[in-house]
Amino acid sequence: MSHKPFNFRKNVREALDNKQLRGNLRFAMETMIRNRKNLFNDPERLEHLRETSSAIRSKSLALLPRLLEKLEQNCHQNGIKVHWAETVDQGNRIVLDILNSRNVKRVVKGKSMVSEEMHLNRFLEKNGIKPLESDLGEYIIQLAGEKPSHIIVPAIHKNKKEIAELFHKHIPDTPYTEKVEELNAIARKVLRKHFYEAEAGISGVNMAVAETGTLCLVENEGNGRMCTTLPQIHIALMGIEKVVEKLEEVPPLLELLTGSATGQRMTTYFNFITSPRKPGEKDGPSEVHLVLLDNGRSTIMADKQLYETLKCIRCGTCLNHCPVYTRIGGHAYGYVYPGPIGTILTPQMEGVDKTQSLPDASSLCNACAEVCPVKIPIPDLIRRIRNDSKSSSGKTKGSGSGRSLMESAVWKGWALMNSKPELNRLGMKAGSLFGQYLPKTGPLGKWCNIRSMPVPAKKTLHMMADEEGVDRD
Amino acid sequence: MSYNQNKPDTVYFFGTCLVEGLYPEVGMAAIKLLSKAGVRVVFPRGQTCCGQPAYNSGFPEEAKKVARHQISLFPEDHPIVVPSGSCAGMMKVHYPILFAEEPDQSEIAAFSERIFELSEFLVRIMEFRLADLGDPVSVTWHSSCHAAREMKVIEDSKSLLRQLHNVSLVDLENEQQCCGFGGTFSVKQPDISAAMVRDKLEAIEKTGASEVISGDCGCLLNISGAAEYLKSSVKCRHLAEFIWERTHES
Ligand code: SF4
């Protein structure tokens, strides 16, 4: 996969300097946090729901190969054609082949993070097909030529004014307006036309039910339903981890997904897609395809700690609650998945060598783990990825690439200092005598960017305790 | 919790490295509070750091070495009281994870069971009562991440403050949001960390309180360092020191 050279430090600086972005983000995130909190106002019930959902996701992963087989069988029986893609390239090819063999030129798309992972739009455009994004947020960033900055609200970094300017500039005969209803109406008008004309619709899948061969799609705008029912061909894209065994496992996951994502008890639309149009039915596509993408997921699955990454239901609430994400926004993360989930998923998909210091972009404050609806221990997984980045015997792609002799030596020295009390005493003493004369370079320099130098105490606690006669054994 | 029924007569005190080198008066205040609450406090020699810096930085072997050294210094079955939610969280929640693959993991888990954060121990185990001798003052409270989300002891800390009848506690906006310290995070991602501590300072200033109280020296070091650098008037104090000063007869 090709990316612009990734420079996290630079991205962070630019994002932090962008006052508008920080204002937009702060306002939006605080609203989403509040809505979620208002909805989940019974902590005990929430905890119970999280336990249940976490168990469902764990079980689904434990049974993954079997469930996928079952899903394929049942989809097949229902008339949905299933395609397997091990890599992003294969996934893109599959989609293109379906479109080309049916001579499709006009495509509408619903929101799909897997399609972002595949860079599907870019690929199709190169091959002469320009899909139109029909989710309002996705439509906005498509106009702006940008990538989503949030997995639920892709255009969250844009405010009304910026959207008004985009519409005015890119949609012919559109007067400048900042009125939300008017902006909505403008987008609706443009999109309607495309829905009627499109020959194929592409969508994501929030979860698939193995026992019934059902694809579930959650959305608020109705565009997902349009994409999956109006055009003659529907292509659904899904990561292989999104399967559950039984229909009865959908409601708890759904409740947590919508509640965590937007604070809604239920989204406006919830689509169950179980087959193409049947004889006698008035609408629906004549063909439904399901593309199942692996793209490194099998490797993640094989690790007995990191597999938990795949429990994710992409609710985005870890982003909303993350003190890092809310300050730098999604684009700074450089890849498709931002925020805490991106911090664990991206290095595993792309390799820790490619993602540089991304795993360091967490103060391990645990805010994400506290809200994650399926209880992914995100901070523990971040630590694990940090370990792998420093160790050539790690299992994450690119393991050992973050290792430097200097840093290893520093930590060895630190361990020695802190396991040999005599050395520690000496160190502390030196600190209290000479601490204030230390040069402000290296880590200390970075500390002093915004803070004054720590001043070591004249006496350590050990010294004070001795003076005051505290019991020592 | 097994200690709840009968109050122990002796506890160990684990001072933490930040208290040892930078905030010894916090450690002394904590020891005195514990004594006042009615337990004998043993502060074993040779203790250093819980090992969290290496644990969070990708060096688990180094973290284990340091952790093992601490564990060896607390041989008796006394509770171990720690004046920091973060270090207590490391020793209680993370040692069992760190040593999960080791042959002696069950002994380590038993050690972790004995860990208490200071205010948790004072409130839940010792049922400590305070009489405020200080002047009227209004303060605000910053929850450290691990005191809140790992040790879950914020209510204990605040309940101590609430016992002080001359102290009014002003709510802090985003009280439980990270201040940007995060140990090595503050120097590995200095720009993000700086943005976080700036916001924290702003929120504290907005309360109009004369001091911000917290239970973790890491946060205090971070917030007070930034306050000094940015010439803010915000003052920071550790809960133990604040309480001790207001409740002992001088
Ligand atoms: S990691 Fe958890 S909180 Fe984050 S998007 Fe996935 S399910 Fe939601």
Side-chain angles (χ1 to χ4, degrees), chain A residues 9 383 386 418 451 472, chain B residues 43 48 56 188 193 222:
Chain A
R9 199 46 67 75
R383 283 189 192 92
R386 289 183 185 175
N418 284 290
R451 305 168 192 89
R472 309 308 295 267
Chain B
F43 177 49
T48 55
N56 285 349
K188 290 205 171 187
S193 171
N222 183 40

Side-chain angles (χ1 to χ4, degrees), chain A residues 74-75 77-80 212-215 272-276 278 288:
Chain A
N74 287 326
C75 280
Q77 243 168 34
N78 298 339
I80 298 175
T212 55
T214 304
L215 314 179
F272 281 96
I273 299 164
T274 307
S275 75
K278 289 190 188 127
V288 178

Side-chain angles (χ1 to χ4, degrees), chain A residues 24 49 88 104 160 203 236 322 383 403 420 428-429 436:
Chain A
N24 294 359
L49 204 53
V88 159
V104 169
K160 261 191 305 201
S203 79
C322 175
R383 283 189 192 92
R403 201 177 166 80
K420 296 262 179 287
M428 285 281 174
K429 192 149 192 193
Q436 70 238 51

